[in-house]
Amino acid sequence: MAFFLDNQFEDEKFRRRGGINPFLNLEKTSVLQETRTFNETPLSVRKCIHVLAKIIYLINQGEQLGTSEAREAFFATTRLFQSKDVTLRRMLHLCIKELPTAPDDAIIATSSLTKDMTGKEDGYRATAIRSLCKITDIAMLTAIERYLKQALVDRNPAVSSAALVSTLQLGKDGPTEMVKRWTNEIQEALNNDNVMVQYHALGLLYSVKKHDRLAVSKLLSKYTRSGGVRSPYATCFLIRIACKVIEENEQDNNSQLIGFLESCLRHKSEVVIYEAARALCNLPNLSGKDIAPAISVLQLFLSSPKPTLRFAAVKTMNKVATNHPATVTMCNLDLEHLISDSNRSIATLAITTLLKTGNEGSIERLMKQIQSFMTEIPDEFKIIVVRAIQGLCFKFPKKHAVMMSLLSTMLRDEGGYQYKEAIVNTIIAVIEANPNSQETGLYHLCDFIEDCEHGVLATKILYLIGREGPKTPKPSKFIRYIYNRVILENPTVRAAAVTTLAKFGAVCHDLRPSILVLLGRCIYDTHDEVRDRATFYLRVLESNNTSLINQYIVDSLQSSITGLQTLLLHYIENPTVESFNVSTVPITTAPAEVTTAAKTDDLITERKPIAPTKTRQEEFAEKLAEIPEFASLGPLFKSSPNPIELSESETEYYIRCNVHTFQRHIVLQFDCTNTLNDQQLENVMVDVEGEGYGVLGHLPCPVLKYNEPGTCYTLLEMPGDPSEVANTFACTLKFVVKDCDPTTGEADPVGYDDEYVLEDLSIGINVLFQKVYKSNFQASWEELGPENEAEETYTLNNSKSLQGAVDQLLSFFGMQACERSERVAEGKNTHLLLLAGQFKVRKTISGGIDCLIKTKLVFDGSVNIRVAARSTVVDVSSLLVSSI
């Protein structure tokens, strides 16, 4: 980042001095016409070099040359082989390498390039090798194989490196047999005294052997010994190979390789020392004690006079502090000195690292340091600090007041939209995670919208106030801030403020008369949207109908926007005498929560707008609707939130199942992967057996090739009694297997039937319930009334904690947790879990049946629960409490 900004600064100084790019406004046509210069006699070397530079510039700027244009330019450049000038010849080689050349045309230059490669002029032998390997077809390489082998061990380091790198490029799609025969020459080059030749030779040797685990192990054993390689770059590459082997062989004893990494910490090269320290810090399954030597080395780099070393060390420590903060704590004093570093990137990383490693007693001191530090850095660095403060709020919830105060001060300071948005999102995230900070955070946000110049942020904050404000002890304090927005803001914010007022009136009965007066004033607004909202909410509140108020004001829209659009388009394209039924629109799987800031430690240079994405269920609905066999099943009610694994990923066939629920049917979608490279499967299907369900048909996967995913389906008819839905199915993968060549992938024409037993598939009652969010759970609970309530008491012996029991109940019922009841506060022995959902019904009934669950959990060695369920149908309530 700092290097990029410095380059921009240098470019700006260059422009101020009057400097211009000599190739700024080049035209392809005029440059191609200038290639006629190559035919002049005598040849102007300087002019030819200039034309070649123009061609290379155009190609590197993305200019596309047509086939005829590229051929003419290539033929024109080949005439320059007549010149003996070294500079011109090197430019010629570079231009030939960059020009798109057909294999038939390349033959013309091959002999000249071969002559240059084997000549005595070292000035352009290396460039000739690079160009020749770039334009020569692999099938024609046998003609120059002897010359390339000789170049690998050439006495000139530039020639040897060029041959090694070109050979590496030739085998990038997998080492050819010809390259494998050069192992002796490559190993000889690895003993070269030149550091770059050693580095390139090691890279080529690893590319040849990387698919052979034993060969890689021998390579590491040979060259990780003391004095194996002298090049620091080659040593860095060995470190990376060792790390990859350690990660792949987590179960094996890697003490020798880890010992090699630790020995590199004592290397004389700073590059090797840092690479080894970074590698140790990034290795999985290492404790803080194991990486302590690496942290000690990085601590020395923190006081280095070189900015690059300081930046590298503090960046690595910043990542380590996420998982091992105690290990980095010993460097806090050095990190504090870096806060005043002239490089703002280093200073930002230092302060964010301190925020991760700080303890509860140092919070106040850190906040004071940050307050003076924030005025000196640009917005992109401020955002990183804000997100680090968010993590600190989660780590020390009791100190939320101090950090909230700092965030409020930042909101009042100067800054752009992204900076302000990051602060707002951080405050919202803290409010949601820590109920004790709710009232303080809301007041800080209310103060901010008084002078907020960003309408999007004001709308987001008003939505949050409407959702959380009525639950505070004194909700009347927020009315002044909300109504000020109705008077002073633009129409978009005014409309949001009207909706927020209506939510206060719907939930706070003592404030409703005052809210009605304020809404009555809003009906005279100059904007249609504001007037319409005020009029609508006013009539709903005046009706005093609890059901209407909850449906149209308290609970937000539950319908899927994408699903609604799809069904409306289908309704318009297929006219019918029946009215459009809104109850057929699929509901959203989660409430429209305020998006919180993403957690990242990367430096931000640019933020791109995030395009709206479809939910997982909406993607499945579109995919299933395109299958003719499933077109008559009706709208998709629910898809399983996560795929169910029926085999392990390391087995021959990796199978996962997604369960899709329709009105009367269940579709089992099996995602299959064949992990055997010597087999090709055809007519792949999964046969299921279970009581109460009828198997109506299979949709097999025609072909399942090696490592290419495929999908097959099984259609089931659901039992008529909802209590029989929970079931376990025996699954068997059936297919026709054909042997195939692992290299070419060609399969034998004749195969044979085979099958593979999978793990059992369990389907619970959660397939019958869709998530529905209730903003005011208690109001919805009272609205349903006790008439259809059912209650039972259970003991969960397999749960060791309240949070574990809550997670089990959420998965079992498949309903939406309301009012953040999915999180259990630390140190609590009791908890109340609130769930809301919609029960799937038969086609004879429109829409679904709303149902609510109150679960009281008590932990006294085991978890005891009391489940109370309410719905509009007593059978649904009984089903919920009796299914555990």
Side-chain angles (χ1 to χ4, degrees), residues 31-97:
V31 172
L32 293 177
Q33 288 178 352
E34 289 183 30
T35 58
R36 298 173 182 173
T37 308
F38 304 158
N39 298 323
E40 295 179 356
T41 305
L43 196 66
S44 174
V45 173
R46 185 172 181 179
K47 185 183 289 186
C48 291
I49 291 174
H50 194 59
V51 174
L52 289 173
K54 289 181 179 179
I55 296 174
I56 296 171
Y57 176 82
L58 285 176
I59 295 174
N60 281 276
Q61 290 299 309
E63 191 73 43
Q64 298 293 328
L65 298 181
T67 304
S68 59
E69 294 173 336
R71 180 181 290 113
E72 292 175 2
F74 176 75
F75 286 147
T77 56
T78 56
R79 299 187 182 97
L80 298 179
F81 279 109
Q82 302 172 15
S83 174
K84 301 298 182 181
D85 186 84
V86 175
T87 306
L88 178 59
R89 187 65 62 90
R90 295 177 66 177
M91 284 293 293
L92 172 60
H93 293 163
L94 182 59
C95 187
I96 290 175
K97 186 168 74 76

Side-chain angles (χ1 to χ4, degrees), residues 312-383:
V314 73
K315 183 178 181 182
T316 304
M317 283 188 176
N318 188 277
K319 292 182 178 180
V320 174
T322 303
N323 299 320
H324 303 286
T327 309
V328 185
T329 303
M330 64 180 184
C331 307
N332 280 0
L333 185 61
D334 299 277
L335 290 170
E336 288 183 12
H337 292 159
L338 292 180
I339 295 178
S340 57
D341 195 283
S342 58
N343 188 310
R344 296 290 86 187
S345 300
I346 296 175
T348 303
L349 287 170
I351 195 68
T352 53
T353 307
L354 284 170
L355 289 173
K356 293 179 181 180
T357 60
N359 53 47
E360 198 165 3
S362 63
I363 297 297
E364 287 82 357
R365 180 170 54 83
L366 280 175
M367 294 302 109
K368 290 180 181 179
Q369 287 179 315
I370 291 174
Q371 192 164 2
S372 60
F373 169 76
M374 294 294 282
T375 58
E376 304 172 1
I377 58 176
D379 281 1
E380 55 265 29
F381 294 142
K382 290 180 181 178
I383 294 173

Side-chain angles (χ1 to χ4, degrees), residues 192 228 247 253 305 316 330 337 453 512 542 546-547 641 660 682 719 736 764 799 828:
N192 195 296
E247 291 173 0
N253 184 7
T316 304
M330 64 180 184
H337 292 159
E453 58 184 8
R512 187 173 297 176
E542 287 177 343
T546 305
S547 177
H660 307 294
E682 296 183 1
V736 175
S799 296
K828 297 290 185 180

Side-chain angles (χ1 to χ4, degrees), residues 194-444:
N194 186 273
V195 293
M196 292 308 297
V197 174
Q198 274 196 349
Y199 172 57
H200 293 146
L202 181 62
L204 180 57
L205 187 62
Y206 175 70
S207 71
V208 171
K209 298 185 176 184
K210 64 182 177 181
H211 299 291
D212 186 347
R213 183 175 295 184
L214 181 59
V216 173
S217 179
K218 289 182 178 179
L219 174 69
L220 287 173
S221 299
K222 180 178 180 181
Y223 292 105
T224 54
R225 293 183 307 221
S226 178
V229 289
R230 293 180 296 277
S231 168
Y233 310 117
T235 306
C236 289
F237 192 67
L238 275 177
I239 291 172
R240 298 191 178 188
I241 298 173
C243 290
K244 186 175 181 181
V245 171
I246 292 172
E247 291 173 0
E248 291 175 351
N249 306 325
E250 292 184 7
Q251 306 300 328
D252 299 340
N253 184 7
N254 297 308
S255 57
Q256 181 180 353
L257 294 179
I258 293 178
F260 164 69
L261 297 180
E262 292 178 348
S263 68
C264 290
L265 296 175
R266 299 181 291 274
H267 200 276
K268 61 182 179 181
S269 171
E270 293 173 338
V271 175
V272 175
I273 295 173
Y274 171 71
E275 186 68 27
R278 188 182 69 88
L280 284 170
C281 292
N282 291 337
L283 281 179
N285 304 325
L286 288 187
S287 64
K289 183 179 179 181
D290 296 329
I291 64 174
I295 297 298
S296 299
V297 170
L298 294 175
Q299 185 177 9
L300 296 176
F301 284 173
L302 293 179
S303 56
S304 171
K306 300 179 181 178
T308 51
L309 283 180
R310 297 199 304 274
F311 176 80
V314 73
K315 183 178 181 182
T316 304
M317 283 188 176
N318 188 277
K319 292 182 178 180
V320 174
T322 303
N323 299 320
H324 303 286
T327 309
V328 185
T329 303
M330 64 180 184
C331 307
N332 280 0
L333 185 61
D334 299 277
L335 290 170
E336 288 183 12
H337 292 159
L338 292 180
I339 295 178
S340 57
D341 195 283
S342 58
N343 188 310
R344 296 290 86 187
S345 300
I346 296 175
T348 303
L349 287 170
I351 195 68
T352 53
T353 307
L354 284 170
L355 289 173
K356 293 179 181 180
T357 60
N359 53 47
E360 198 165 3
S362 63
I363 297 297
E364 287 82 357
R365 180 170 54 83
L366 280 175
M367 294 302 109
K368 290 180 181 179
Q369 287 179 315
I370 291 174
Q371 192 164 2
S372 60
F373 169 76
M374 294 294 282
T375 58
E376 304 172 1
I377 58 176
D379 281 1
E380 55 265 29
F381 294 142
K382 290 180 181 178
I383 294 173
I384 299 172
V385 176
V386 169
R387 291 177 180 171
I389 294 174
Q390 176 180 327
L392 202 63
C393 290
F394 295 153
K395 187 177 179 181
F396 303 112
K398 294 181 180 179
K399 292 291 184 178
H400 68 85
V402 179
M403 291 176 275
M404 282 282 196
S405 177
L406 176 63
L407 292 172
S408 176
T409 303
M410 293 180 182
L411 277 176
R412 293 191 295 269
D413 294 340
E414 294 293 327
Y417 169 74
Q418 293 181 6
Y419 173 50
K420 300 292 186 180
E421 182 189 31
I423 300 174
V424 170
N425 286 337
T426 296
I427 295 177
I428 293 174
V430 174
I431 290 174
E432 293 177 346
N434 185 4
N436 296 328
S437 65
Q438 184 183 75
E439 193 168 359
T440 304
L442 289 177
Y443 285 137
H444 286 318

Side-chain angles (χ1 to χ4, degrees), residues 485-487 489-499 501 518-519 521-538:
R485 309 280 64 75
V486 177
I487 301 173
E489 294 287 354
N490 59 59
T492 303
V493 179
R494 295 204 305 271
V498 168
T499 301
L501 284 174
L518 297 178
L519 290 176
R521 297 176 183 175
C522 296
I523 63 176
Y524 301 106
D525 194 275
T526 57
H527 196 272
D528 292 343
E529 175 68 20
V530 181
R531 289 198 308 271
D532 291 346
R533 288 197 188 191
T535 304
F536 175 73
Y537 292 136
L538 188 64

Side-chain angles (χ1 to χ4, degrees), residues 82 118 228 484 582-583 762 772 782 791 839:
Q82 302 172 15
T118 57
N484 283 346
V582 180
S583 63
S762 296
V772 175
E782 293 174 356
E791 184 176 317
F839 177 71

Side-chain angles (χ1 to χ4, degrees), residues 468-483:
E468 305 295 340
K471 304 173 186 177
T472 58
K474 296 181 180 180
S476 59
K477 291 185 176 182
F478 298 100
I479 303 300
R480 172 175 64 88
Y481 298 102
I482 301 169
Y483 191 66

